[in-house]
Amino acid sequence: MTLARSYAKFVSSLEYNHLPVQVVDKLKASVLHAMIVSIIGAQTHHGKSAITLTKEEDSKSDGATILVDGTKATRTGAAFANSKLMHATNQTDSYRMLIHPGPCIIPAALATAELIGASGQDFITALSAGYEVESRIAGDFIPTTQARGFRCSPVYGTLGAAIATGKLLGLDEDQLVTALALACTFAAGTTEGPRVSSREMMYHEPQATRAGITAALLARENLHGSETCLEGEAGFYNAFTGNNRGELSYTFTPGDGDIGGTTDMAQTVQELGSRWELLHITPKIYPTAGYNCPVIDLTTRARANNPIPLEEVESITMEMNWLETSYPSPAFPNQDRSMPGIGSTHYFIAYTWVHGHYPPLRNQLGPGLGDKETDRAISDLQRRVTVTGHRNRANFSPRITIYTRSGEQYHDEFTGNELKLDLATETAVIKTLFSQLPWPRTQLDTLVSTVTTLDKETDIAGLIQSCVPA
């Protein structure tokens, strides 16, 4: 059986009562995170531009809702705008650092669920299908795709959006194969922007969302998609990884003598429905690259547990997964990110140590971006920060060492699981931001309660209404 057929069979037969409690909880956490981030994103230049463009080009009085703005647009138009809102501040969710399923899958499913009146359970089921299929198809191939010059998030996100939309549309097994085949040919996005710090990647996910929805809609038109769209001689994997044999140019944790390796193509579809890759999704709380988020949290914890006066800190070393220190890829590293300076890992470590924390909202930054004395302290400390990449460290599992002028050393480290938040933890974290958000507290509280009981809702109208003007 081909890979596409295996995924299509899994998705077409998937029902809500097949989902483990942990999967439902994880998806609710992702939905809550995405909806809150959309409120934040609507205040940004990119968010406002996406809303304006959509209203000018895709307005439709009986269409789907643009979040925060509240007006209606075509299915793909509303999803495009909402994807941008969920991605504008770089606070999306992540799977294995380099793909961000949420801003592709959630807005795609949101638009279609609203238009067809799908229940909360139907919505969650579609999300589970999209998240799981995208995560499995991406998996071990992520570093190799990035090394080919493609940005993984939109490339694999197109497939996730197509699957989630197709599930809600009720596509049968054959049609889901076609949806995947179309999504494979629609996928796009290069890493040149991340390599040189330009910003075209800001619209990668929105365009991938639109493409994925289109793939699912077209699959209803009795097209015949290629069964071997993924592993075929000229298929998706050959295009985006350079071969269809599972040969990898880079891996997350390579052996001592190699940076590449191999993976079994067949393992991507093994244990579908019993082993859930989506449980490894991590939300990005801070407006920065995903690999900096555990660094910030670890530094915060180390600072709280070891209140060493700043003047006593000789230096700080942060050990991370090797790929996290060569973003977007060792093949095309962004040199600016490897040097001390605003936006570098060195900077986030220094800022967090000086202040004791790093704020999730940019308008909370305060001293350190203008206050000369604090600016000087951060600038001085980041020059004493060393960031090193290690092949045996998992993603999001940094290790910090603080060296004091008196010769003492203090260590702390993460396992890589700390940011895989469940709904209760996500809710607790998100609620700390409520007083800073430009949104009525009553609606924020309603959003939390609606997401919590999403599987009991007859439709998703309440979810959407909590994120549009009252």
Side-chain angles (χ1 to χ4, degrees), residues 102-380:
C104 293
I105 294 171
I106 292 175
L110 199 68
T112 293
E114 179 185 9
L115 291 176
I116 68 173
S119 68
Q121 290 189 2
D122 292 338
F123 179 60
I124 292 172
T125 305
L127 293 180
S128 71
Y131 267 82
E132 188 63 16
V133 171
E134 178 180 343
S135 298
R136 282 171 168 268
I137 292 175
D140 292 338
F141 301 96
I142 291 172
T144 298
T145 297
Q146 293 275 128
R148 294 275 291 175
F150 297 107
R151 184 166 171 262
C152 287
S153 187
V155 167
Y156 293 98
T158 303
L159 280 59
I163 287 295
T165 303
K167 181 61 177 176
L168 282 166
L169 292 174
L171 300 188
D172 62 27
E173 187 179 311
D174 289 336
Q175 291 171 322
L176 285 165
V177 169
T178 296
L180 265 178
L182 287 166
C184 284
T185 67
F186 293 170
T190 70
T191 58
E192 181 63 8
R195 186 187 75 83
V196 298
S197 300
S198 65
R199 307 301 287 167
E200 61 264 31
M201 64 178 283
M202 296 299 290
Y203 284 98
H204 279 175
E205 279 79 2
Q207 191 63 18
T209 303
R210 189 194 292 271
I213 293 173
T214 302
L217 292 172
L218 290 174
R220 297 185 300 182
E221 304 302 321
N222 295 317
L223 297 172
H224 177 67
S226 55
E227 286 273 342
T228 53
C229 58
L230 289 167
E231 74 272 32
E233 291 294 322
F236 179 89
Y237 281 124
N238 185 67
F240 291 108
T241 71
N243 66 89
N244 66 341
R245 299 177 297 277
E247 297 170 1
L248 309 173
S249 57
Y250 293 105
T251 60
F252 287 104
T253 53
D256 292 336
D258 301 301
I259 57 174
T262 60
T263 189
D264 181 7
M265 305 282 286
Q267 60 82 27
T268 62
V269 294
Q270 288 175 356
E271 300 176 283
L272 273 168
S274 59
R275 172 177 61 83
W276 292 87
E277 276 300 301
L278 65 81
L279 292 175
H280 301 294
I281 297 294
T282 60
K284 294 202 294 180
I285 299 300
Y286 306 101
T288 178
Y291 55 81
N292 284 325
C293 293
V295 165
I296 292 170
D297 279 352
L298 178 62
T299 305
T300 301
R301 188 172 79 179
R303 180 75 172 86
N305 292 338
N306 305 285
I308 305 164
L310 183 60
E311 61 273 15
E312 292 299 316
V313 176
E314 176 69 27
S315 62
I316 297 175
T317 296
M318 188 70 70
E319 301 167 66
M320 303 167 65
N321 175 271
W322 77 298
L323 291 172
E324 294 172 342
T325 62
S326 56
Y327 179 85
S329 168
F332 309 107
N334 183 320
Q335 300 298 336
D336 291 340
R337 290 180 181 242
S338 64
M339 303 294 292
I342 293 177
S344 69
T345 301
H346 307 73
Y347 171 80
F348 289 109
I349 294 168
Y351 186 105
T352 303
W353 191 269
V354 169
H355 287 278
H357 73 286
Y358 189 88
L361 300 180
R362 287 181 175 139
N363 62 7
Q364 294 179 325
L365 279 172
L369 289 177
D371 178 83
K372 290 184 179 180
E373 184 175 344
T374 313
D375 263 345
R376 192 178 304 112
I378 294 171
S379 179
D380 178 61

Side-chain angles (χ1 to χ4, degrees), residues 7-14 167 171-173 176:
Y7 288 122
K9 188 178 289 294
F10 162 70
V11 173
S12 63
S13 63
L14 185 63
K167 181 61 177 176
L171 300 188
D172 62 27
E173 187 179 311
L176 285 165

